[in-house]
Amino acid sequence: MAKFYFCGKYNQDQIHNRFNQLIIRIEEEMKIISGQSILKSFLAAALLVMSMNLSFAQVSADAGKTLFTNYCASCHAKNMKTALTGPALGGAQERWGNDADLYSWIRNSQAMIQKGHPRALELWNQYKPTVMSNFDQLTDDEIGSLLAYINGVYDGSYGAPKGGPVAAQGVVAEKKSNNWLYWVLAAFLAGLSYLLFRIIGNLKQLSAAKQGMSYEKPTLWQTLRAKGVVGFLLFALVILGGYTTVNRAINLGRQQGYEPDQPIAFSHVTHAGENKIDCQYCHDGARRSKHSVIPATNTCMNCHRAIKVGSKYGTAEITKIYASIGYDPLTNTYLENYDQLSEDTLKAIYTAWMADSYITEKGVTALDAEGERLVASQWKNLVKALTNDEKKKIQGPIEWARIHGLPDHVYFNHAQHVSIGKVACQTCHGAVEKMEVVKQYSPLSMGWCVNCHRETEVKFTENPYYDSYERFHKELQEGKRSKVTVNDIGGLECQKCHY
Ligand code: HEC
Ligand code: HEC
Ligand code: HEC
Ligand code: HEC
Ligand code: HEC
Ligand code: HEC
């Protein structure tokens, strides 16, 4: 038994009694403290903060994005600036003025037209007989989220900028939304420290009283100024600072879930999913080289020489392929000296195609006002998609925004994994065939590579590539070993992955 400092003065029973008293005092002390308003109000405040944030979270542009993709994107352009089947939604909230009317419109547009709402009539006159679907299942919060997303995309405040260096924006934005949790946690810890501080003070006072000495509880300020505490705080600051710096450095350039806007609304669902085109038909580098490579425009042309009008976007997206490579879909020929043609010449060629396709589709004899608007907005969108600050001309390769990127000091080889390791694309990239927009599925961290190398068995006996590992083959035959992992053949050696 541990020696008590008052053992000399008391017998066993007395010690026992004292000890019990002490426990009772502690319990009382705890009761007093927990009954006190500080704890209650602290807890109440924490709850308030949490509920406030939860109710904020219900209306969010991110939620709006998902809703938009699921319900609206089939008719309304994702950039909020071009008209598709329905009008561009950018600025709609202002055009309606009254939110209640706008919400009613989204839930049941035909009802608003019948009521004779001026904006509803205006829209109907432009777009009839196309009817917008009803969305009476959407809650106020969901419509609020949709509008937050629409406004955010329209004024450019939502989403990572197109192209450019792969910045860590996605990550930073994600972190922000969790910040309040840290604050609640910090407040909670501060409250807890204060409680402990009170308990310790009271215990010290108690034990001093036991010894017949007087003990003055230090004030909170005195405690905070004590050497040990200051030292500890400094230490904590250094650790925290170091941790965030390292964390930032690690996260730089690596960003799970990163999903930038692309110049063309290319969909893996349409191509790899619905039409079952093999990944390697387009990414043929994966099998034979370090890089998988994004397909060149020529690969697209294998099919899109024939598929000229899409069922989703009509001529809006596929024409971008033609304009980048100089193919005239009206005459089915490649344009001569394409590089030297002026933007006006290109405009004449491609808007003629858009207009022709509109006239055929609508069965009209000439371009009407709606058709003119559609062609104008499609052309504007095309120019924007195919040019940027550095690339002034429409002509030239499509500049896809890069999603995956390992730091320069890492060596990763697709062929090694796809052809020799026989690892499926989806193991590392997720179900790309179900992604409208490709996302980075895996963390691409060192831990991710290393863990897989530890766990994955190589197809040792099936693949002649491994014939040279005689020792392992012998051990397998003799039953001394049941499997060979990537680790066994050197997959954890630093220089295999690092230059
Ligand atoms: C089936 C196609 C279709 C879908 C899906 C669709 N819309 Fe529409 N939307 C239209 C059409 C067409 C119009 C033009 C009016 C008309 O003809 O009914 C329109 C008009 C609008 C307007 C009025 C814009 C303005 O400038 O005043 C808003 C707002 C709107 N839609 C929001 C939405 C939202 C939000 C969703 C998804 C929840 C959605 N729409 C889904 C076809 C669609
Ligand atoms: C018809 C051609 C085509 C097919 C088939 C196709 N892709 Fe793609 N893939 C593209 C294009 C174009 C891009 C660039 C635009 C984008 O990111 O959507 C791309 C981008 C990607 C990216 C992101 C590249 C980056 O920037 O880091 C991955 C990963 C990818 N594809 C994997 C797959 C997988 C896995 C399959 C099979 C399930 C597949 N692709 C099938 C054309 C194709
Ligand atoms: C073992 C994991 C793994 C497998 C399997 C894998 N990839 Fe990748 N992929 C990666 C990594 C890691 C990167 C980033 C490479 C870089 O930045 O150098 C990447 C990048 C890409 C890119 C961007 C262009 C590039 O090469 O950097 C495309 C496209 C792509 N992968 C497609 C595919 C396809 C298609 C398959 C299947 C045939 C596949 N990948 C199989 C891990 C994998
Ligand atoms: C193996 C054939 C094939 C290849 C290669 C191919 N596509 Fe497609 N693409 C299709 C099919 C099929 C559709 C569906 C057409 C439809 O909507 O009716 C389609 C649809 C599209 C659409 C949607 C059009 C719309 O309005 O709905 C776009 C955009 C597109 N492709 C872009 C590309 C790009 C960019 C490439 C090259 C990286 C490419 N495609 C390569 C077969 C292909
Ligand atoms: C899904 C599992 C998986 C992931 C994730 C993975 N690898 Fe591999 N890796 C394999 C397999 C399987 C092999 C065996 C192929 C072979 O025999 O070369 C391999 C082999 C290698 C090799 C050759 C090793 C040798 O000894 O010859 C290198 C280098 C490598 N991987 C690098 C990486 C890097 C870098 C990453 C992360 C960016 C990574 N791998 C992620 C499964 C994986
Ligand atoms: C299977 C492949 C693989 C092996 C083996 C490997 N690394 Fe890495 N390493 C990576 C990848 C991938 C990254 C990039 C991680 C990122 O961007 O976050 C990395 C990053 C690093 C970094 C930079 C810090 C960071 O997290 O970005 C250091 C330092 C490092 N590795 C050291 C080593 C050492 C030392 C070894 C040997 C004991 C080793 N690595 C073995 C794949 C590997």
Side-chain angles (χ1 to χ4, degrees):
M1 185 188 150
K3 256 196 180 170
F4 283 99
Y5 53 86
F6 43 87
C7 279
K9 278 204 266 171
Y10 302 98
N11 65 29
Q12 280 282 312
D13 272 355
Q14 278 170 319
I15 292 173
H16 215 86
N17 268 342
R18 297 255 145 188
F19 207 68
N20 278 345
Q21 276 170 8
L22 194 65
I23 299 286
I24 291 167
R25 273 304 300 268
I26 292 174
E27 277 172 6
E28 274 169 6
E29 192 63 36
M30 293 291 282
K31 261 188 226 148
I32 295 167
I33 292 169
S34 60
Q36 263 169 3
S37 51
I38 26 158
L39 188 69
K40 270 194 192 151
S41 50
F42 162 71
L43 278 177
L47 277 176
L48 188 75
V49 171
M50 279 164 106
S51 60
M52 257 165 49
N53 274 289
L54 286 181
S55 65
F56 277 146
Q58 277 164 4
V59 171
S60 79
D62 284 337
K65 182 177 186 181
T66 314
L67 290 165
F68 187 88
T69 314
N70 291 345
Y71 296 132
C72 324
S74 52
C75 298
H76 293 287
K78 244 175 89 173
N79 61 11
M80 308 303 164
K81 289 178 183 150
T82 11
L84 294 177
T85 312
L89 291 185
Q93 203 167 12
E94 274 150 39
R95 286 195 288 278
W96 280 80
N98 179 335
D99 273 1
D101 288 353
L102 177 55
Y103 280 43
S104 309
W105 165 267
I106 292 171
R107 291 196 173 113
N108 186 344
S109 59
Q110 286 294 309
M112 291 302 276
I113 293 166
Q114 268 146 29
K115 265 196 210 157
H117 188 287
R119 176 67 192 153
L121 286 178
E122 201 180 339
L123 281 164
W124 182 241
N125 286 331
Q126 262 181 30
Y127 284 88
K128 70 184 170 197
T130 315
V131 176
M132 173 166 145
S133 336
N134 286 349
F135 296 97
D136 38 15
Q137 80 277 21
L138 293 179
T139 64
D140 281 358
D141 280 347
E142 285 173 330
I143 297 183
S145 300
L146 273 165
L147 293 174
Y149 172 65
I150 290 167
N151 294 337
V153 171
Y154 187 56
D155 65 22
S157 60
Y158 183 87
K162 189 177 88 184
V166 186
Q169 260 132 350
V171 176
V172 175
E174 237 169 61
K175 281 266 162 69
K176 253 191 200 140
S177 63
N178 274 335
N179 259 356
W180 65 271
L181 248 178
Y182 295 119
W183 285 114
V184 171
L185 205 69
F188 182 72
L189 287 177
L192 210 64
S193 329
Y194 181 69
L195 265 180
L196 284 175
F197 158 74
R198 294 255 341 206
I199 293 174
I200 291 170
N202 286 322
L203 281 178
K204 278 198 177 152
Q205 206 175 30
L206 209 66
S207 76
K210 294 265 150 61
Q211 290 172 292
M213 293 185 321
S214 84
Y215 170 77
E216 200 160 327
K217 272 197 282 181
T219 63
L220 184 61
W221 179 235
Q222 278 167 336
T223 310
L224 282 181
R225 278 179 45 208
K227 250 197 212 146
V229 176
V230 172
F232 175 77
L233 282 180
L234 276 178
F235 176 74
L237 266 179
V238 170
I239 294 283
L240 197 73
Y243 173 78
T244 33
T245 318
V246 169
N247 222 11
R248 289 249 172 83
I250 289 175
N251 276 333
L252 213 72
R254 123 146 102 81
Q255 30 190 346
Q256 208 164 3
Y258 181 57
E259 188 188 3
D261 279 344
Q262 296 289 1
I264 299 186
F266 176 85
S267 158
H268 279 81
V269 176
T270 307
H271 292 87
E274 284 156 14
N275 286 295
K276 307 237 169 344
I277 306 170
D278 183 27
C279 308
Q280 298 194 24
Y281 180 90
C282 289
H283 300 291
D284 65 334
R287 182 173 48 228
R288 50 183 171 75
S289 70
K290 183 171 180 304
H291 285 293
S292 268
V293 188
I294 305 297
T297 317
N298 270 322
T299 311
C300 315
M301 289 302 287
N302 290 345
C303 299
H304 286 289
R305 233 191 313 262
I307 305 167
K308 299 201 281 193
V309 182
S311 51
K312 265 197 217 154
Y313 312 108
T315 47
E317 297 296 328
I318 294 174
T319 310
K320 292 177 187 167
I321 304 176
Y322 303 146
S324 78
I325 204 170
Y327 181 79
D328 181 355
L330 270 176
T331 59
N332 291 323
T333 50
Y334 284 94
L335 299 159
E336 266 175 58
N337 295 326
Y338 180 58
D339 260 2
Q340 272 93 58
L341 300 183
S342 72
E343 188 170 317
D344 283 340
T345 316
L346 298 184
K347 182 172 177 180
I349 294 166
Y350 291 108
T351 51
W353 156 245
M354 291 164 180
D356 182 79
S357 148
Y358 176 86
I359 289 166
T360 319
E361 193 205 335
K362 291 270 157 150
V364 286
T365 45
L367 206 58
D368 52 19
E370 191 198 333
E372 258 168 40
R373 254 187 326 108
L374 199 81
V375 168
S377 75
Q378 284 192 4
W379 177 252
K380 226 175 106 195
N381 185 10
L382 182 151
V383 175
K384 206 173 143 233
L386 297 181
T387 57
N388 56 40
D389 290 347
E390 283 113 54
K391 182 173 181 282
K392 308 278 185 211
K393 276 163 58 166
I394 293 165
Q395 294 98 322
I398 299 161
E399 296 196 349
W400 302 101
R402 202 184 155 107
I403 299 157
H404 297 75
L406 285 169
D408 286 342
H409 58 82
V410 179
Y411 175 81
F412 176 84
N413 187 319
H414 268 95
Q416 183 101 41
H417 290 86
V418 173
S419 295
I420 300 171
K422 310 255 182 272
V423 184
C425 314
Q426 283 82 351
T427 311
C428 297
H429 292 298
V432 174
E433 67 279 7
K434 296 199 182 108
M435 299 180 193
E436 278 298 339
V437 181
V438 184
K439 260 197 220 167
Q440 183 180 317
Y441 170 82
S442 299
L444 262 60
S445 63
M446 178 161 145
W448 172 70
C449 314
V450 165
N451 278 343
C452 184
H453 286 185
R454 281 213 187 94
E455 286 158 13
T456 308
E457 254 181 82
V458 290
K459 311 254 184 317
F460 207 67
T461 41
E462 299 150 38
N463 197 334
Y465 174 82
Y466 301 109
D467 283 353
S468 57
Y469 292 89
E470 280 167 22
R471 183 165 65 88
F472 289 153
H473 276 294
K474 226 175 115 203
E475 286 178 7
L476 279 172
Q477 266 163 11
E478 290 168 357
K480 278 195 198 146
R481 127 188 320 274
S482 60
K483 61 177 187 182
V484 181
T485 61
V486 185
N487 178 6
D488 293 326
I489 59 165
L492 296 195
E493 287 162 20
C494 314
Q495 81 282 1
K496 288 264 170 77
C497 300
H498 290 292
Y499 290 110

